[in-house]
Amino acid sequence: MSALAIILVGLLLCFAGSLSVRLAVLAAGFGVAWTLAVAFDADTGTTLLIGLGGAVLAFVTTLLAARFLFFIGGLCVGAVIGAKLFVLVQGGGADLLLLLVVVPAVALTCGLLARRFERPFLAWGTAFGGAALVLSGVGRLWADVAGELWRPESTVGVVVVMLLWVVLAAVGYSVQRRARRD
């Protein structure tokens, strides 16, 4: 159930994220909280609660900082991207340090890019964040067949996930761009 929810949130973020900044923030907040909860092996109920808490926290943050809406949106989407990168490269005893460096660094970078470039960046950012969630959800839902999409165990697996991530994000961006023209 949890993986199916994250696939749906990922699809929403990937294909419609830039159409509504608030929707993107809710989806990204849920996504980053879910991804990290699963990475730390939380059970399904706890993962969903943490995901909902992340969505609420991200949304409330945007309401309190309306002037910085694009920055906060980029920050949330960047956190999703950073969390996926963390899952792809984690290993060994430095996992917590890696988490504390990678996720905030990517989140802050995306926040600054979103503040500077606004909607054009947010379309790319939400497409990449949503694609990360979709791949993670598919990898969790069908672990026997597609588990490598969640946590690849080889260099080839990481490369395949990254290629699929870029392709799905490009399709998501294309859909968002087309929808904005209509």
Side-chain angles (χ1 to χ4, degrees):
M1 174 59 185
S2 176
L4 186 57
I6 205 62
I7 291 170
L8 295 174
V9 169
L11 288 170
L12 177 71
L13 189 60
C14 185
F15 294 106
S18 70
L19 302 178
S20 168
V21 174
R22 288 188 176 120
L23 179 65
V25 167
L26 280 168
F30 181 89
V32 69
W34 179 90
T35 300
L36 293 175
V38 170
F40 285 100
D41 295 324
D43 62 51
T44 302
T46 303
T47 300
L48 287 173
L49 283 175
I50 290 172
L52 290 173
V56 169
L57 180 62
F59 188 72
V60 168
T61 303
T62 61
L63 292 177
L64 295 174
R67 286 183 43 177
F68 303 110
L69 187 60
F70 281 101
F71 174 77
I72 299 299
L75 194 71
C76 293
V77 168
V80 171
I81 295 167
K84 183 61 178 177
L85 288 173
F86 166 73
V87 169
L88 289 177
V89 300
Q90 79 179 34
D95 285 349
L96 185 58
L97 180 60
L98 184 65
L99 172 69
L100 294 174
V101 172
V102 171
V103 175
V106 174
L108 186 58
T109 301
C110 288
L112 293 172
L113 288 170
R115 178 72 181 121
R116 170 72 175 95
F117 298 107
E118 295 185 350
R119 289 211 188 267
F121 175 80
L122 210 51
W124 275 109
T126 57
F128 269 94
L133 295 177
V134 169
L135 293 175
S136 295
V138 168
R140 296 289 295 174
L141 189 61
W142 294 290
D144 294 342
V145 180
E148 289 280 312
L149 294 177
W150 166 241
R151 277 196 180 138
E153 295 183 15
S154 67
T155 304
V156 172
V158 170
V159 170
V160 168
V161 170
M162 292 185 91
L163 286 173
L164 288 171
W165 191 6
V166 168
V167 169
L168 185 56
V171 171
Y173 173 77
S174 176
V175 168
Q176 288 187 52
R177 195 167 145 215
R178 215 172 291 126
R180 288 205 72 74
R181 277 192 243 157
D182 294 340

